Amino acid sequence: MRTNKEILDEFGEKLIKTVFDFNYEIIKSNILFNYQKETLKENIEVISRESIESLIFDFLKFFEENEEFKIYYERDNQKIDLVEISEMLKAEPIIENGWIERFSESFK
C-alpha cells in the first residue's frame, strides 16, 4: 500500500495539472486578450463568471474521471458518493436552474 503522502501527492498533482493549470491558462489568455483590445473593463464580469464556472466544472469532472478519488457526503454513519447520485456532477453548478443560478449571492 502506498503511503498517505504518496496518495496525497498523486491527488494533488493530477488535480493541479487538470484543473488549476488548465483554468489558469484560460483566464490569463482571456484577460490578456481583453486587455489588448481595451475591453477588459467591459468584460470583467463575464470573464470572471466563465472562469469560475470552468474551474468548478473541471474540479467536479476530476472526480468523475478519476475513480480512485471520491467526493462524499457523510452523515449519521452513512456515506454517499456524490458522483453516483448525480447524472453529471460537473454540470450541476452551471446548467439552467443549476447551483450557481439558484444559490449564488453574487450573480443575482
Side-chain angles (χ1 to χ4, degrees), residues 25-72:
E25 291 302 324
I26 288 174
I27 293 167
K28 184 173 73 172
S29 297
N30 219 337
I31 290 172
L32 288 172
F33 175 79
N34 280 276
Y35 180 76
Q36 291 168 348
K37 298 286 185 190
E38 298 182 3
T39 59
L40 184 58
K41 186 175 181 180
E42 296 84 27
N43 292 323
I44 198 73
E45 187 173 315
V46 172
I47 293 168
S48 298
R49 181 180 174 131
E50 287 177 353
S51 299
I52 294 168
E53 285 177 352
S54 177
L55 183 72
I56 292 171
F57 180 90
D58 288 331
F59 178 74
L60 295 173
K61 178 181 166 187
F62 176 84
F63 288 99
E64 290 180 346
E65 293 181 353
N66 293 277
E67 294 179 10
E68 67 272 28
F69 301 113
K70 303 290 183 188
I71 184 168
Y72 289 109

Side-chain angles (χ1 to χ4, degrees), residues 1-16 62-63 66-70:
M1 181 66 166
R2 299 172 59 202
T3 68
N4 290 345
K5 180 175 179 0
E6 289 171 331
I7 293 168
L8 283 173
D9 283 348
E10 178 186 352
F11 173 76
E13 181 180 8
K14 286 182 177 183
L15 182 70
I16 297 306
F62 176 84
F63 288 99
N66 293 277
E67 294 179 10
E68 67 272 28
F69 301 113
K70 303 290 183 188

